[in-house]
Amino acid sequence: MTYGAMTGTKTHSLKGENMDRFLRINMTNRTAKFEPVPAQYKDRAGRWLTSSIVHDEVPATCHPLGPNNKLVFSPGIVTGTSSPTSSRISVGGKSPLTGGIKEANAGTGWSRRLVRLGIRALIIEGKADGLWLLKIDKNGAQFEAADSHAGARLSEVYPPLFTRFGGLKTVDVCSIGVAGENRMSAAGICFNDQDGRPTRYAGRGGLGAVMGSKGLKFIVVDDAGAEGVAIAKQDVFDAGRKKMAAALTEHAITKPRGALNSYGTAVLVNIINEAGALPTHNFRSGRFDGAAKIAGEAIFEGNKERTGKELYNHACSPGCIIQCSNTWHRPDGSEHSSCVEYESAWALGANCGIDNLDQVAEMNLLCNEYGLDTIEIGGAIAVAMEGGVAAFGDGARAIELVHEIGKATPLGKILGAGALVTGKAFGVARVPHVKGQNMPAYEPRAIKGIGMTYAISTMGADHTAGYTIAPEMLGVSGKLDPLDPNKTELARAFQYATAFIDTTGHCLFIAFAILDIASGFEGMVEECNGVLGTNWTADDVGRIGKEVLDLELDFNRKAGFTKADDRLPEFMTYEPLPPHNVVWDVPDAELDKVFG
Amino acid sequence: MRVEVRLYASFAEHAPTHRAGDAFYVDLEATDSLLNLISRLGIAAKDVHLSMVNGRVVYDRSQILQDKDRIGLFPPVGGG
Ligand code: SF4
């Protein structure tokens, strides 16, 4: 499939402009406007900037799918530089899944290209009829109709786009799938990986539905001729970058051929299962008999058997040292699915009682094809299984259910609206969510600090809001007892530090190295100082993190959230979780203390 | 006494089936500690990052094991 020449579009030139601009797109009349970065947003990028703009510009009570919501993209502070593992893009808006503020991020060269064009934030406003492609390059922004791509699988639409726009060397592509086109609350926003696979997602919270509601199908970014990212203090930056690279290369989890590079994030399946904290059969148990069959080790061994060689993982985005992104192969050795993350293997596997890796990989592939968040979909299918739609463990039926979502049938639309809606539709009381977002792959009854994080996070149940799993389970940056409920300080400190990492443009997985290796942490701050010319210290990490969270909390308050929303679902307080037979027992007063 | 053992990630090569997570059983003396078990398995103690006994992380390797304990051993692992 090819496109005709771009016609009937307005071009807004970037030439002669200073670096560091906002690009504001109005989808209603399809115009684009460059603006200088307002003074109050100086030094802000990534999550700090998306949450600032959403807080300041989006009416908190607006409908997430209406014309007053905005979708904001922002690369991090060091994205686009030579800093390792820093090609993240933050995407923000009001979430149709939670009704609160949302930041979801992904690793992709798309982010790098955007910032190298001098675009600090891309703000999408208004609402168009039909579906559109937005192309951004050094000459400006152009629009063209994209209706002909509606309903297609993403692996079918990406290759012709690359062909048309000059290939992977020239462009990266952001897109929604059929789920976003149908404004489903479990729709994510897809970016291609380094090999052009449409597999890297800003997945959570339904931002794909927001993009769909605006009539925006694709954003193609071409950075040919771009000036790159200006660095204020090169020596400071270089020193910081070196410390960061050294920490990542040294730490056993992040180093080449280390745990993440060999086994991928799914290496966690076994450890969390052994700890009795792997949510199984829709959060009925913390142990899954088939866990080892869907774990990172099984992926590594299975690939070796099927391809005849040891496969180590690849970088999802340019400049990543950790390289945790895996592929799963069919019996004939051909590539089947990427990336089978811990969260996806769990959500589509253990949580649904499915221990067949080929079936889990197929569901993972279909989520990528249709533009879905694997966590929310695994959660919705497990809740549907609870409601009698399918039997736990029936992988063939579960695959059909994902196809129902891809066809946007009435059943598919219920599932695509997420676990909470699915629970209502099928009369299920056991819905493991906070603020409407399904919990990820750590049982809060068995790991109290992550439970506190789920409860109070501005994002709804989200492990990436503050990855307390590192000290609670993995012996990284501390050795805490997961069952100890006294984690108030921990839940606060981790959320602040994470909000800062999400602002730098680094992948959160740098945390393993920089929490254990002090010079790596210093390096992160120095890299930022180098780019911005600031004099931040470690104290500023907490200060900025708090500022980000305060903006998000304020937005959520204005959107109508109260303390009653900062709670885990009731069933967790009365259903003991095997094998430790523990209930959720952190007092509400402790939850309320986290953010004061 | 007899304990139930599972080895994970790169430790799988020390398991009878060479597969991560396959349970096997080891006979021990009543006074044997976690550390004794680790050396019996041929794993260097310094390579063990996490030990779990009955689903609880144990950092004190001098802990004496009990009959029917379920043990899991891991090198450094992390993910998301
Ligand atoms: S660590 Fe993994 S997810 Fe993070 S940027 Fe690297 S490859 Fe991507």
Side-chain angles (χ1 to χ4, degrees), chain A residues 253 259-260 263 267-268 270-271 274-275 297 343 463 467 473-474 479 481 483 512 580, chain B residues 6 8-10 20 49-50 52 54-57 59 70 72 74 76-80:
Chain A
I253 292 177
L260 281 168
Y263 300 115
V267 73
L268 280 184
N270 282 324
I271 194 165
E274 191 63 38
E297 293 96 318
E343 288 296 336
H463 62 299
Y467 195 65
M473 285 298 344
L474 305 176
K479 295 177 174 176
D481 176 3
L483 293 172
F512 295 114
H580 295 302
Chain B
R6 287 172 181 77
Y8 294 103
S10 54
H49 183 68
L50 277 182
M52 284 195 217
N54 302 323
R56 303 295 299 267
V57 179
Y59 291 108
R70 171 177 170 149
F74 300 82
V77 287

Side-chain angles (χ1 to χ4, degrees), chain A residues 320-340:
Chain A
C320 178
I321 290 180
I322 304 172
Q323 308 200 355
C324 78
S325 184
N326 68 8
T327 49
W328 173 246
H329 294 255
R330 296 188 184 85
D332 67 3
S334 63
E335 185 176 313
H336 181 185
S337 191
S338 176
C339 163
V340 186

Side-chain angles (χ1 to χ4, degrees), chain A residues 236-266:
Chain A
V236 176
F237 172 78
D238 287 341
R241 176 180 56 80
K242 278 189 197 131
K243 287 181 192 171
M244 173 64 74
L248 295 177
T249 314
E250 182 190 326
H251 197 278
I253 292 177
T254 55
K255 71 184 182 187
R257 304 269 159 126
L260 281 168
N261 183 227
S262 303
Y263 300 115
T265 56

Side-chain angles (χ1 to χ4, degrees), chain A residues 211-341:
Chain A
M211 190 159 153
S213 75
K214 309 229 161 279
L216 186 56
K217 170 76 178 162
F218 301 111
I219 310 173
V220 179
V221 180
D222 174 350
D223 68 343
E227 286 174 40
V229 174
I231 293 181
K233 294 190 281 192
Q234 189 70 46
D235 53 330
V236 176
F237 172 78
D238 287 341
R241 176 180 56 80
K242 278 189 197 131
K243 287 181 192 171
M244 173 64 74
L248 295 177
T249 314
E250 182 190 326
H251 197 278
I253 292 177
T254 55
K255 71 184 182 187
R257 304 269 159 126
L260 281 168
N261 183 227
S262 303
Y263 300 115
T265 56
V267 73
L268 280 184
V269 171
N270 282 324
I271 194 165
I272 304 302
N273 186 61
E274 191 63 38
L278 188 74
T280 300
H281 296 126
N282 190 35
F283 290 72
R284 285 166 180 254
S285 168
R287 281 242 177 93
F288 179 47
D289 285 341
K293 293 191 198 162
I294 56 168
E297 293 96 318
I299 295 172
F300 185 84
E301 293 301 327
N303 279 336
K304 193 157 102 183
E305 236 161 68
R306 291 175 173 191
T307 68
K309 51 181 189 267
E310 292 193 341
L311 293 185
Y312 290 87
N313 297 326
H314 60 269
C316 73
S317 49
C320 178
I321 290 180
I322 304 172
Q323 308 200 355
C324 78
S325 184
N326 68 8
T327 49
W328 173 246
H329 294 255
R330 296 188 184 85
D332 67 3
S334 63
E335 185 176 313
H336 181 185
S337 191
S338 176
C339 163
V340 186
E341 302 276 12

Side-chain angles (χ1 to χ4, degrees), chain A residues 75 78-83 86-89 108-117 172 221 223 229 317-319:
Chain A
V78 301
T79 306
T81 69
S82 58
S83 165
S86 67
S87 295
R88 303 296 290 194
I89 183 79
T108 170
W110 191 92
S111 185
R112 216 177 140 73
R113 293 194 201 276
L114 193 71
V115 74
R116 290 175 64 80
L117 285 166
D172 287 293
V221 180
D223 68 343
V229 174
S317 49

